[in-house]
Amino acid sequence: MLDYEGNLDRVFQALADPARRGIVERLSRGPASVSELAHPLDMTLAAALQHVQVLERSGVLTSRKVGRTRTCELELAGLDLAAKWIASRRALWERRLDRLDELLRDEATDGSDEAE
Amino acid sequence: MLDYEGNLDRVFQALADPARRGIVERLSRGPASVSELAHPLDMTLAAALQHVQVLERSGVLTSRKVGRTRTCELELAGLDLAAKWIASRRALWERRLDRLDELLRDEATDGSDEAE
DNA sequence: CTCATAGTCAAGCATCAACTTAACTATTAG
DNA sequence: CTAATAGTTAAGTTGATGCTTGACTATGAG
């Protein structure tokens, strides 16, 4: 667990930008070059590249340069990190609600009247 | 779908901060007052309140004020929004990999030699 | 070789975000 | 009533972000 917190920071931060989520959506349909990613975003290549770099540092994509084009591909590690953190908090919360529910049920059957 | 994109911005942005994730972790174990949330974070009440407000605007928590204390509780809507967005991109990606796999398998059996 | 393409790097700039402090408003305890 | 508690608001500081432009570096096409 190398800098788990920092990685979470980076992934959530990366996904907080609509342009970067747009890149992820595009990549979820298959690999693409930086230019292809830049085009629908209505921004310069330089800006798109910066987004790609942010996503790469956060583990959401990987890229290789072949000739003069850099091809980007989705990497699940980043998304998984975020998904697991969320799932884990959600689980704790629901488990707590279950215990609460159980407790209330117990008190009810322990009390004066119990239906059926 | 009222400003779906904006809501995603807010949720991911909210979770990008370690202090706010700390609040979520605390709340996943049960409700707490703003002071209780502020204490382990080593920051002023005012700062903690600001984090609470960010989380509330993003749908990650709800709060009610009773007397002079404000009690915060986890709200799954925010976490779910983020979780579903991630799950959806992940699903697209995996489906694509499956199709690719299938395609390669077809070409192999269609080709010259097929072992076993 | 010569030009266009695809990307990269480095400033520079306009916001935005995360605090802080200070002043102020209920509540509640004594 | 008087004080302490819990929160709220506003203003200001500092540092991070998202872009842009301009200069420069491969690569690929004619």
Side-chain angles (χ1 to χ4, degrees):
Chain A
M1 204 192 286
L2 277 88
D3 196 14
Y4 176 64
E5 280 294 312
N7 288 337
L8 279 173
D9 282 5
R10 277 185 283 277
V11 176
F12 282 122
Q13 183 67 51
L15 297 179
D17 186 283
R20 284 192 292 260
R21 283 199 309 277
I23 290 177
V24 172
E25 302 215 10
R26 169 63 188 78
L27 290 181
S28 70
R29 288 170 171 82
S33 71
V34 178
S35 302
E36 284 166 348
L37 293 174
H39 188 256
L41 295 180
D42 191 39
M43 58 174 68
T44 56
L45 229 203
L49 177 62
Q50 283 170 28
H51 283 307
V52 164
Q53 289 168 341
V54 168
L55 288 165
E56 190 153 23
R57 274 182 237 120
S58 70
V60 176
L61 69 78
T62 44
S63 71
R64 285 159 298 146
K65 195 162 180 180
V66 167
R68 63 182 163 178
T69 88
R70 173 174 299 278
T71 302
C72 304
E73 193 165 337
L74 201 64
E75 163 85 16
L76 291 187
L79 291 185
D80 281 354
L81 191 66
K84 277 173 184 160
W85 185 87
I86 293 175
S88 157
R89 301 317 133 198
R90 203 188 194 296
L92 258 182
W93 176 248
E94 302 229 294
R95 189 142 55 81
R96 193 191 141 269
L97 284 190
D98 287 351
R99 278 203 307 272
L100 206 69
D101 196 48
E102 203 178 309
L103 209 110
L104 291 176
R105 210 188 313 283
D106 283 0
E107 262 175 34
T109 53
D110 187 38
S112 43
D113 66 45
E114 52 250 72
E116 74 210 271
Chain B
M1 204 193 284
L2 277 87
D3 195 16
Y4 176 63
E5 279 295 311
N7 287 337
L8 279 172
D9 282 5
R10 278 185 282 278
V11 177
F12 282 122
Q13 183 66 52
L15 299 179
D17 187 284
R20 283 192 293 260
R21 284 200 308 279
I23 290 178
V24 172
E25 302 215 10
R26 169 62 188 80
L27 290 182
S28 70
R29 288 171 172 83
S33 70
V34 178
S35 301
E36 284 166 350
L37 293 173
H39 188 256
L41 296 180
D42 190 40
M43 58 175 67
T44 56
L45 229 203
L49 178 62
Q50 283 169 27
H51 284 308
V52 164
Q53 288 167 341
V54 168
L55 287 166
E56 190 153 25
R57 274 181 235 119
S58 71
V60 177
L61 68 78
T62 44
S63 71
R64 285 159 296 146
K65 195 161 177 178
V66 167
R68 63 183 164 178
T69 88
R70 174 174 298 278
T71 303
C72 304
E73 192 166 336
L74 201 64
E75 164 84 17
L76 292 186
L79 291 185
D80 280 354
L81 190 68
K84 278 174 184 160
W85 185 87
I86 294 175
S88 158
R89 303 314 133 199
R90 203 187 194 296
L92 257 181
W93 175 249
E94 302 229 293
R95 188 141 57 80
R96 193 191 140 269
L97 284 190
D98 286 351
R99 279 203 306 274
L100 205 71
D101 196 47
E102 204 177 308
L103 210 110
L104 292 175
R105 209 188 314 283
D106 284 0
E107 261 174 34
T109 53
D110 186 39
S112 44
D113 66 45
E114 52 249 73
E116 72 212 83

